[in-house]
Amino acid sequence: RVAALEQELKSKNVALQVSKNQTAQWSAGCASLRHQLEDAEIRIDDTGASLVEANALVQHLHSECADAKDAVARATDRAEAADQRAEAMVFLLNAARQGG
């Protein structure tokens, strides 16, 4: 009877050791997954910050493009006015030649 109890105790002890080993492995696996999750969260935060910076840059570039379009419009208006003045001078010059 004692031998049977000792054998049962040894068997349970082996099962307990196997269970402890599995628990240690699962714990290590969970710790690894936790670190991976933390790293992923950091990368997500970094990506979010990069997106905010990129959005600010896009807004800045939109503003610069609008300013450039305004400058082109003003330059076009000045060029058209200069062209009209040049045509008027040519007209006056031709009229003076014909009259002279």
Side-chain angles (χ1 to χ4, degrees):
R1 171 106 176 122
V2 172
L5 289 174
E6 286 178 349
Q7 186 59 35
E8 184 181 346
L9 184 59
K10 286 179 185 179
S11 175
K12 288 184 178 183
N13 191 28
V14 168
L16 180 61
Q17 291 303 318
V18 169
S19 178
K20 283 183 179 180
N21 288 339
Q22 286 178 341
T23 301
Q25 289 174 354
W26 290 338
S27 179
C30 287
S32 175
L33 289 174
R34 189 178 317 109
H35 290 303
Q36 290 176 25
L37 178 59
E38 290 168 356
D39 290 345
E41 288 173 343
I42 289 169
R43 286 194 300 274
I44 288 169
D45 289 344
D46 290 347
T47 300
S50 295
L51 288 174
V52 168
E53 291 173 10
N55 190 35
L57 179 59
V58 166
Q59 295 300 322
H60 176 73
L61 292 175
H62 278 298
S63 176
E64 285 191 7
C65 284
D67 292 346
K69 285 180 182 179
D70 290 344
V72 167
R74 287 191 303 273
T76 300
D77 289 346
R78 286 193 302 271
E80 288 174 355
D83 189 44
Q84 289 173 356
R85 286 192 303 272
E87 287 178 6
M89 287 181 177
V90 168
F91 176 79
L92 292 174
L93 182 60
N94 286 336
R97 284 182 185 159
Q98 289 176 359

